[in-house]
Amino acid sequence: QIGVPVDLLEKHLDIFRWFGPLKTLGAAFDHLHDPARPGRSVIAITFDDGYRDNVTLAAPVLERHGVWATFFPVVRTAYGGRPLWWDELTRTLARGTINGDGLVPYLATLKHCEVLPADRDRVGPRASRASMARFLSERLVELPGTRREQDLRDLAERLGVSLEELDQPDLYASWDELRAVADAGFEIGGHTLDHVVLPREDPIDAEIQITGSRKALEQLLRRPVRSFAYPNGRHDATVRALTAAAGFRLAITVEHGVNYADTDPYALR
């Protein structure tokens, strides 16, 4: 779980203001490339993955403080589709029946989740569900999206968890909620259709994920979408080129550092 209580978010906003004005990613990018800009730094605040608490809890706090942020929802979840893969994994392990030798027997034929002797403490009979989730996450994140989702389906079936039990429609923001925050002045950016790790995808599939997210967002939000966030921050030269070709003017990674006017707009920190 990654998050902060509302009161701590407010304290963070007060601290951030010491370093410069707080803007959407698009507005911060404009500021960075404005030759008449003041010398002071500017800070962009972003929220990835389209969780409902981003718009029901964070957005009202930001608006109250006069701060405008950028939200990067995943198109599939805004439609009410299958949960994001790590949420599905956590729910599968929480609801599944795990007996005997821990998770080891259930992973025996999952090609990408082989259990080595050194891993048994992480997935064996004494391991916590959280430990099991971390073990599987480290392996599943490296797979192409379709392969990962099939492995998750197989695991759920082996643990006796139905697809209905995995559904979490209240976890993610709906299109109506996203339109509302966009109408209020927040920016909405692209984050793919299904939260795939783009360098692990075939270039054709990666293009569909990137371009499709922009088209869906623009159609349903009725406004231009020009900012993109790479899922898990993963990108390479092909992915950056596809992002530019899709019509996004900038893309953000998860790399630490400061951006300058000459920073690659498709590899922002």
Side-chain angles (χ1 to χ4, degrees):
Q1 299 292 332
I2 300 175
V4 296
V6 168
D7 60 341
L8 185 55
L9 172 61
E10 295 191 278
K11 292 177 182 178
H12 284 171
L13 295 176
D14 290 336
I15 294 171
F16 293 159
R17 280 203 176 91
W18 283 91
F19 300 95
L22 311 180
K23 298 177 179 287
T24 66
L25 183 59
F29 185 79
D30 290 338
H31 175 94
L32 194 63
H33 292 86
D34 181 358
R37 73 182 186 278
R40 194 178 182 198
S41 298
V42 63
I43 298 171
I45 297 179
T46 65
F47 295 82
D48 286 4
D49 303 332
Y51 286 102
R52 173 161 281 143
D53 59 9
N54 293 176
V55 300
T56 60
L57 296 179
V61 171
L62 295 168
E63 192 167 3
R64 187 163 64 248
H65 284 259
V67 175
W68 308 106
T70 302
F71 298 96
F72 291 103
V74 177
V75 169
R76 181 178 78 194
T77 58
Y79 274 117
R82 186 173 174 177
L84 298 175
W85 70 264
W86 58 90
D87 292 324
E88 187 171 311
L89 172 62
T90 302
R91 198 170 180 90
T92 296
L93 293 175
R95 291 176 173 264
T97 301
I98 302 175
N99 298 317
D101 206 19
L103 201 58
V104 177
Y106 304 96
L107 301 180
T109 58
L110 288 185
K111 182 178 178 182
H112 305 283
C113 298
E114 297 89 350
V115 179
L116 301 176
D119 298 321
R120 291 187 67 87
D121 287 344
R122 303 181 65 191
V123 294
R126 297 184 179 181
S128 68
R129 304 289 172 113
S131 174
M132 295 175 182
R134 286 192 293 271
F135 171 85
L136 287 169
S137 293
E138 291 166 6
R139 285 147 180 80
L140 293 171
V141 72
E142 300 299 335
L143 301 181
T146 53
R147 176 70 264 171
R148 178 173 54 243
E149 295 200 354
Q150 185 57 55
D151 281 358
L152 285 168
R153 293 283 196 202
D154 292 345
L155 180 63
E157 182 178 350
R158 294 175 193 187
L159 297 184
V161 181
S162 68
L163 298 182
E164 291 74 18
E165 292 179 271
L166 298 177
D167 192 25
Q168 303 177 75
D170 295 333
L171 190 58
Y172 309 102
S174 67
W175 286 120
D176 286 343
E177 289 168 323
L178 292 171
R179 271 192 291 268
V181 294
D183 290 343
F186 293 96
E187 181 184 19
I188 305 294
H191 200 42
T192 72
L193 298 172
D194 300 294
H195 204 285
V196 297
V197 178
L198 291 165
R200 296 292 183 184
E201 300 294 315
D202 178 275
I204 295 176
D205 293 331
E207 180 182 15
I208 291 170
Q209 288 284 334
I210 297 167
T211 303
S213 70
R214 183 177 180 222
K215 289 180 177 178
L217 290 168
E218 290 189 336
Q219 178 181 358
L220 289 156
L221 299 176
R222 300 185 291 273
R223 66 190 65 238
V225 174
R226 302 297 305 281
S227 299
F228 188 79
Y230 301 116
N232 292 89
R234 303 281 193 89
H235 62 98
D236 58 19
T238 298
V239 168
R240 292 192 296 274
L242 291 172
T243 303
F248 291 104
R249 65 174 182 149
L250 62 91
I252 191 168
T253 70
V254 294
E255 296 160 20
H256 293 178
V258 177
N259 296 302
Y260 301 94
D262 60 353
T263 301
D264 184 344
Y266 298 100
L268 296 176
R269 304 176 185 94

